[in-house]
Amino acid sequence: MANADPFAASAAKMREHGMSELSIAQFERLYRVWQNETSSSWIRESDVEPLTGIPSFHDVYKTIDHDKAKTAFAKTAFLKLNGGLGTSMGLECAKSLLPVRRHKAKPMRFLDIILGQVITARTRLGVDLPLTLMNSFRTSEDCMKLVRNNRKFHQEDIPMEIIQHAEPKIDLATGEPVSFPSHPDLEWCPPGHGDLYSTIWESGLLDKLEEHGYEYLFISNSDNLGARPSRTLAQYFENTGAPFMAEVAVRTYADRKGGHIVRDKATGNLMLREMSQVHEDDKADAQDIGKHPYFNTNSIWVRVDALKAKLAEHNGVIPLPVIRNYKTVDPTDPSSPKVIQLETAMGAAIGLFEGAICVQVDRMRFLPVKTTNDLFIMRSDRFHLTDSYEMEDGNYIFPNVDLDPRYYKNINDFNERFPYNVPSLAAAKSVTIHGDWTFGQNVRLFSDAVLEDEGEPSYVPNGEFVGPQGIESDDWVV
């Protein structure tokens, strides 16, 4: 006989695995929304207004007192979302432990660079700038070992990590937690980065921050090395008195499918609209970068007291829109049972804070690595990692990169095909590689560089130029 309430099985499974009552309450909210929602979950174009006229970082920079800015910065804490494993690139460890590039001959991982950015800010500005990582149970051990082994990084009063929750994947056929005995770990998933808020609440982090005089919390993804601590933005955020501030950037055609901030016509509040919340009839409008010129970078600033009050109001589980992710229990096996993963987005909290604002930042503050295509650019000569751990580029307008996923999507395959580091991209407008190509030393890509599939493993010799015609012929040399 079917269970009258399929959620009961999820609650029992979570308790059996030692999960807290708050994590169960949070998942129950997501489950009930999915189970009972009869009204549309679309955010329709006719119900919103585009976000326009947002002040830019450059506008802000001219208006603040930079001596005073250090005072606001001294009241700021830094939190990095660090729960991801980088499974989309075939990683089995925390994505933040992936080497990005070398600095003075030493391989630098995301986490090395983040720690370097924090240590630099502390040293140059004489502030404490506490760093907290929101780890998952899969990333905690390895990442905290790296943090503790960094001889220049010390922190005592503020926790260096909080652990995000986990939830069962739901079997679409039954509504109960999926069973996958051959790989039980795949029965679980994170509840999206919106889980940050209940995790913060349960950890007591906000109380610790208040106790030690911290008033502002800057939160960003660990795979976005552009999201560095900023005294300019700290001072601007303090000046506005706003409870919540989202960093947005100007959309390009490549960003058209990303989440963007809109204004709710009914309430006047800002809202985050993900593409999964856009109705088919509204897709052309939502992807019109002229009409909706900004996208969400997933970097936010929040007042500690305002966040604490909002969480207290909702007993630690704030009502964020529910995102439905339809997958198979084993993402690599399309024949495995179909599941739904229920998630929330961190940036969606902007809709819960009256008076929330946005600030437009340059691309130098948005340098995410989601795929090996992104890593290809990050490891190239387009970037220089400075002594202050800034990923520096001339204009932060990058070539479009399309690497054949059969040979480059997995990080081990990727590394094998670039044994001497990736080619030069300084003169490249775009890069398209079809087929199985391995690269020698000092290869340079230019213009719209293309390599076609030759049907067998192929090699680009040392020192060659690759352009629109593939490997450039030297027949013209006389």
Side-chain angles (χ1 to χ4, degrees), residues 462-478:
N462 295 347
E464 290 286 3
F465 289 81
V466 179
Q469 307 302 316
I471 299 174
E472 289 293 296
S473 168
D474 57 5
D475 292 349
W476 54 272
V477 177
V478 294

Side-chain angles (χ1 to χ4, degrees), residues 419-420 438-444 459-465 471:
Y420 305 105
T438 297
F439 290 73
Q441 297 182 68
N442 303 319
V443 173
R444 282 164 281 188
Y459 183 66
V460 182
N462 295 347
E464 290 286 3
F465 289 81
I471 299 174

Side-chain angles (χ1 to χ4, degrees), residues 21 32 49 61 101 140 167 181 191 194 209 223 301 353 405 437 455:
E21 290 304 310
R32 299 300 183 202
E49 295 173 347
Y61 189 83
R101 57 186 306 115
S140 173
E167 67 184 26
L209 292 174
D223 66 3
W301 298 73
F353 289 90
W437 288 87

